[in-house]
Amino acid sequence: MNKVFDWLKNMNWMLWALILGIATGLIFGERVAFLKPIGEGFVSLMQITIFPYIVVSLVVGLGKFSPDQVKTVLAKAAITMLALWVVGLAAIWCFTLTLPSHDAGTFFSPALVAQAPDVDFVQQYIPSNPFASMAEGNVPALVIFCIALGLALISNSRKNQLLDVLEVVGQGLTVMSKKVIKFFPIGIFSMTASTAGTIGSEELSNLQIYLVLVVCLGFYLMFALLPMLVAALTPVKYRDLIKVMRNAWITAFSTGNVFIVLPVITEGIKAHLQKIKRSDEESDHIAEVLVPIAYTFPSLGKLTTLMFVTFAAWLTGNPISLEQIPNVTLSAMLSYFANVHIAIPYMLDSLKIPADSYQLYLSMSVLTAKVVSPTTVVYIFAVTLLCIFYNKQQLHLKRIRSVYYLTLLSVLLPAFMVLSFTTNNHLAQSTKSSDDVIANMVVSDQVPSDVLNHVPKAYQSGELSLTNIEIIKKRNLLRIGYLVDNVPFSYFNQKGELVGFDIGLAHKLASDLQVKVEFIPFKKHQLAEYLNKGYFDVAMSGLEMSVADLSAVRFSNPVLELQLALVAKDHRLKEFATRDLVLSKPKLNLAHVEYQPLMRDVASKHQQITINQLNNHQAFFESSNDNDALVISAEAGFAWSMFYPEYGVVVPKGAELKYPVGFAVAKRNVDILSYLNTWLAIQQSKGTIQNSYNYWILGNGTQTKEHRWSLLDEFSEQAGSYIESQ
């Protein structure tokens, strides 16, 4: 029995919790989603001691140093981090070479055209109120305050009175953390099981190439570069280092959170140094000080997200060139001192990558955190151990083990790169491109319909100009005017079907009237003529409700409010970032299909701007670049960018303008107008308009959500098939 207890005591419960969690998720699938709150509760429990622990560790660790010691330690820590940054960034840029060829594009999102908030780097790093920094989770500001306080105490003769108290507090916090860690396998199991049971293939389909990049790079950094450098340069063995890091690594992998394992990292380093008889008071202090500092400064784990920036540049058809690498690297190092969610939008902007790419990063951040966080843990271990032995003057390469690991590193890098390139090449061939997605969208609920490519002669006599709901029902036909190739409001999909936001609503309107529907094409300048001559009953297709048209036709209540924007080549979007930049151009050619009054006003006020009206939007994308930009709604612009991924959308800052769109009827057809307005109000309250917007504009539901596979479901299906066959 004692042997059983000893075996249970020595088991790595973190590892077993991780393995059992994955197995449980694969077996039971979505049935274990209820475990997620339990895992999140344990994460919150671990966070209780973290901020106090950082304060105590830094103040006590620095306060106990002599002035000469602290200068030496911080200087060598800086050299260590710089060396690891150089080596790690070189590996990151090597992995960018493994990207295959492809095309790009994305659906509209309101966040894509929202102006980025100004980043207050002073607030981020200068703690005017350290207590507020702690309450807001501003780790950089809190660390800087603690470093300043610790340095200030070094020369204070009475510092021991405070340091002794803080040291006791730190010991209490360590005991608390250890007690929580004993039960943390429950949290690891819960989070891993819920993630493995609920994550679906649709979450991986669009960004699987980026995921492969991050996984291959992360594995190279975690299991090759960082631990092998430590093993090559210090007395710490590779196998021992993996064992020491194991619990912190597993916790960071399961939770996607490095912050909660900082005490585990510190205590693990101190315990291992004591085990190999390399521990002393100075090394313990260095560990206590450097762990939170290494977490705050850009880590190689955090810098792996730079792969997303290079991926986004490749995704938009403008991969980062060799001459851009030095500038991108410098910008990355400066911006990554802030939060990743500040750094990535800044990097995207600096590289002229459309801001919509950031939404892709957010959609994958939960998955990539499973790689980024463990890599950060290994990096913190590496920085701290290298710095400790650097201070002890025990770093050297004059060993067979050093040559072995450095040789192995040089072999493993191309091996991981080949693996990444081969996998991504295969995925690129099987990935559905963005233009395929929008070109295969369909109207779900259709009524019998006819789509014409001209106005029938029978309609051209003008006898049908006066129409009402009773006449429409009597003839059993609703005639809808549509604009050709007005993506995403009315366009033809790959099957030749007329689809789009307004086309879907037209089918719904005809269904409620219990009549068939007929679609008749028109051009924007023909709107008033065709309506008032009775060629069709209602005009749709994302029509701008223009003041100039009010005297000729009647508009319904607004259906949507669209954001005016410019579409231009991706590499030129920066030229149109603000109103002042647009107006400062000595010569500018702007194309448009709608917005005639607005364009005339712009041309009259700004002589350097030439306005060119096009028959349709496609003419802009297929022209020989006679126009610098196209004036269009952001919603439509993003849809067009999916067909033409070399183009992007920008809303110039200082020139933000929204406008309503709606349906139009002939000036005399008041009965139809009244019906439409009431019908629209009903559809708004029922959520029909919002659902259509979510599908056609935002792209929600364009990929069918599949039921999460599980072993239990597979067994049930097989058993059912067997019973039926019997």
Side-chain angles (χ1 to χ4, degrees):
M1 183 61 70
N2 289 334
K3 289 184 178 180
V4 174
F5 282 116
D6 289 339
W7 179 75
L8 290 173
K9 184 178 179 180
N10 294 323
M11 277 185 65
N12 190 307
W13 286 105
M14 294 283 194
L15 179 59
W16 279 106
L18 177 68
I19 295 171
L20 290 173
I22 294 173
T24 302
L26 293 176
I27 293 171
F28 295 99
E30 295 174 348
R31 297 175 182 85
V32 294
F34 72 92
L35 292 173
K36 184 176 181 181
I38 299 175
E40 292 174 345
F42 272 91
V43 172
S44 299
L45 192 62
M46 280 291 291
Q47 289 177 325
I48 292 174
T49 63
I50 302 303
F51 278 110
Y53 186 88
I54 287 179
V55 173
V56 171
S57 296
L58 283 174
V59 174
V60 173
L62 288 170
K64 286 191 173 183
F65 282 123
S66 66
D68 292 335
Q69 282 180 315
V70 78
K71 288 179 183 177
T72 303
V73 170
L74 293 182
K76 290 184 176 179
I79 293 171
T80 302
M81 284 192 284
L82 282 171
L84 289 180
W85 287 341
V86 170
V87 175
L89 284 167
I92 289 171
W93 286 118
C94 285
F95 273 87
T96 61
L97 301 175
T98 66
L99 287 165
S101 58
H102 106 296
D103 68 359
T106 183
F107 280 98
F108 170 81
S109 170
L112 307 184
V113 294
Q115 297 298 327
D118 294 328
V119 180
D120 190 351
F121 287 99
V122 174
Q123 183 74 18
Q124 188 80 13
Y125 285 99
I126 299 180
S128 58
N129 184 343
F131 299 102
S133 298
M134 183 183 294
E136 295 167 3
N138 187 352
V139 178
L142 182 63
V143 168
I144 288 174
F145 167 74
C146 295
I147 291 174
L149 180 57
L151 294 175
L153 290 173
I154 290 174
S155 58
N156 192 309
S157 59
R158 299 174 60 190
K159 64 181 181 181
N160 289 334
Q161 298 177 26
L162 174 62
L163 296 180
D164 289 343
V165 174
L166 291 179
E167 194 166 17
V168 172
V169 174
Q171 292 170 357
L173 293 171
T174 301
V175 171
M176 287 177 61
S177 297
K178 288 181 178 179
K179 295 292 184 184
V180 174
I181 287 172
K182 287 184 178 180
F183 296 96
F184 204 66
I186 300 173
I188 299 290
F189 169 79
S190 300
M191 293 200 70
T192 307
S194 62
T195 301
T198 56
I199 191 169
S201 59
E202 67 276 0
E203 296 175 74
L204 303 175
S205 58
N206 290 332
L207 294 171
Q208 52 192 345
I209 290 175
Y210 168 56
L211 186 62
V212 168
L213 281 173
V214 172
V215 169
C216 290
L217 173 61
F219 272 59
Y220 177 73
L221 294 176
M222 281 187 284
F223 298 112
L225 182 63
L226 292 171
M228 287 184 181
L229 280 177
V230 173
L233 298 173
T234 73
V236 180
K237 296 179 180 179
Y238 179 89
R239 183 181 298 178
D240 292 340
L241 180 58
I242 296 297
K243 288 181 179 179
V244 172
M245 296 188 299
R246 186 169 53 193
N247 284 347
W249 188 95
I250 291 171
T251 304
F253 172 82
S254 303
T255 63
N257 192 328
V258 180
F259 190 53
I260 64 175
V261 298
L262 295 184
V264 181
I265 296 173
T266 304
E267 296 305 316
I269 291 172
K270 290 161 66 174
H272 185 68
L273 291 178
Q274 188 173 9
K275 180 180 177 181
I276 62 175
K277 295 181 172 50
R278 302 277 182 169
S279 177
D280 54 35
E281 188 176 0
E282 182 183 33
S283 64
D284 288 350
H285 290 165
I286 292 174
E288 291 168 353
V289 170
L290 284 191
V291 168
I293 290 177
Y295 171 77
T296 302
F297 281 71
S299 69
L300 286 187
K302 188 186 289 187
L303 286 170
T304 57
T305 60
L306 180 60
M307 288 302 301
F308 176 79
V309 178
T310 62
F311 167 78
W314 166 84
L315 194 66
T316 55
N318 295 287
I320 296 173
S321 60
L322 289 176
E323 59 270 18
Q324 288 179 295
I325 289 179
N327 286 335
V328 173
T329 302
L330 180 60
S331 297
M333 291 308 303
L334 293 175
S335 60
Y336 273 84
F337 271 86
N339 186 285
V340 170
H341 297 290
I342 294 174
I344 289 181
Y346 171 78
M347 292 295 298
L348 293 175
D349 181 63
S350 66
L351 288 170
K352 303 176 182 178
I353 300 170
D356 60 311
S357 301
Y358 179 58
Q359 301 300 313
L360 302 179
Y361 171 77
L362 291 179
S363 69
M364 285 293 287
S365 60
V366 174
L367 286 176
T368 55
K370 304 294 184 182
V371 177
V372 172
S373 297
T375 305
T376 301
V377 167
V378 180
Y379 168 81
I380 295 173
F381 269 104
V383 167
T384 307
L385 287 170
L386 288 170
C387 189
I388 286 172
F389 288 104
Y390 189 8
N391 276 275
K392 290 175 174 289
Q393 298 182 346
Q394 294 177 1
L395 293 182
H396 55 82
L397 289 167
K398 298 178 180 179
R399 294 178 300 179
I400 296 177
R401 190 172 77 181
S402 301
V403 176
Y404 168 74
Y405 280 120
L406 293 178
T407 303
L408 192 58
L409 279 175
S410 63
V411 173
L412 287 174
L413 178 60
F416 273 91
M417 289 175 62
V418 169
L419 175 63
S420 176
F421 178 78
T422 304
T423 307
N424 281 336
N425 238 7
H426 173 73
L427 292 175
Q429 294 171 6
S430 60
T431 300
K432 194 174 186 180
S433 61
S434 56
D435 60 330
D436 283 339
V437 175
I438 192 169
N440 282 287
M441 295 173 71
V442 296
V443 176
S444 57
D445 299 319
Q446 297 189 29
V447 298
S449 63
D450 289 316
V451 179
L452 308 182
N453 58 11
H454 63 283
V455 178
K457 289 185 178 180
Y459 296 173
Q460 297 179 14
S461 61
E463 296 176 0
L464 304 175
S465 61
L466 182 60
T467 308
N468 56 38
I469 297 300
E470 185 179 345
I471 293 174
I472 292 172
K473 287 187 174 183
K474 190 173 182 178
R475 72 163 108 100
N476 192 32
L477 183 66
L478 173 67
R479 296 170 300 136
I480 299 291
Y482 72 96
L483 293 170
V484 180
D485 289 333
N486 190 26
V487 183
F489 302 101
S490 56
Y491 66 100
F492 289 93
N493 64 15
Q494 282 191 342
K495 297 179 181 179
E497 301 168 335
L498 182 63
V499 298
F501 175 85
D502 281 310
I503 303 306
L505 291 181
H507 279 277
K508 176 62 177 171
L509 177 60
S511 175
D512 290 343
L513 286 169
Q514 298 181 341
V515 297
K516 298 178 181 179
V517 63
E518 184 177 74
F519 295 98
I520 301 166
F522 74 97
K523 295 180 180 178
K524 184 62 173 67
H525 67 273
Q526 299 170 325
L527 173 64
E529 177 190 356
Y530 279 27
L531 274 174
N532 290 316
K533 286 184 176 180
Y535 293 176
F536 39 78
D537 307 314
V538 182
M540 293 190 176
S541 296
L543 292 175
E544 174 202 11
M545 298 174 68
S546 168
V547 174
D549 292 325
L550 286 178
S551 58
V553 299
R554 294 185 182 275
F555 285 103
S556 68
N557 293 334
V559 179
L560 294 176
E561 191 177 62
L562 304 183
Q563 171 73 62
L564 199 64
L566 296 177
V567 168
K569 290 279 191 178
D570 279 327
H571 68 274
R572 297 194 62 189
L573 292 178
K574 190 73 173 179
E575 300 175 27
F576 307 102
T578 67
R579 180 179 182 273
D580 292 339
L581 281 174
V582 173
L583 296 181
S584 65
K585 289 185 172 297
K587 186 177 180 181
L588 180 65
N589 292 327
L590 292 180
H592 73 102
V593 176
E594 302 181 84
Y595 324 115
Q596 286 88 344
L598 175 63
M599 293 295 99
R600 283 196 301 267
D601 185 54
V602 169
S604 65
K605 292 181 179 178
H606 306 283
Q607 301 300 318
Q608 79 278 17
I609 298 180
T610 302
I611 304 299
N612 300 314
Q613 185 169 3
L614 306 177
N615 288 328
N616 55 64
H617 294 119
Q618 193 164 5
F620 169 78
F621 296 99
E622 296 184 350
S623 66
S624 56
N625 291 324
D626 295 330
N627 297 295
D628 298 298
L630 171 68
V631 181
I632 192 174
S633 71
E635 290 79 357
F638 276 101
W640 278 109
S641 73
M642 297 181 74
F643 289 106
Y644 299 92
E646 67 273 21
Y647 287 88
V649 182
V650 62
V651 177
K653 188 175 182 179
E656 298 88 350
L657 177 65
K658 291 187 176 183
Y659 64 94
V661 294
F663 304 156
V665 300
K667 193 173 181 181
R668 296 187 293 171
N669 293 336
V670 180
D671 179 63
I672 296 178
L673 181 65
S674 177
Y675 183 91
L676 283 177
N677 286 335
T678 305
W679 181 83
L680 282 172
I682 294 172
Q683 302 312 311
Q684 291 279 10
S685 64
K686 290 170 62 178
T688 304
I689 305 295
Q690 186 62 50
N691 290 338
S692 295
Y693 179 86
N694 292 342
Y695 180 70
W696 294 104
I697 310 297
L698 303 184
N700 297 342
T702 54
Q703 295 182 358
T704 305
K705 182 175 176 60
E706 299 177 359
H707 180 69
R708 175 66 169 82
W709 177 91
S710 69
L711 191 61
L712 191 61
D713 290 332
E714 183 72 16
F715 176 78
S716 300
E717 186 177 333
Q718 294 294 334
S721 299
Y722 175 77
I723 292 171
E724 287 179 5
S725 65
Q726 296 301 311

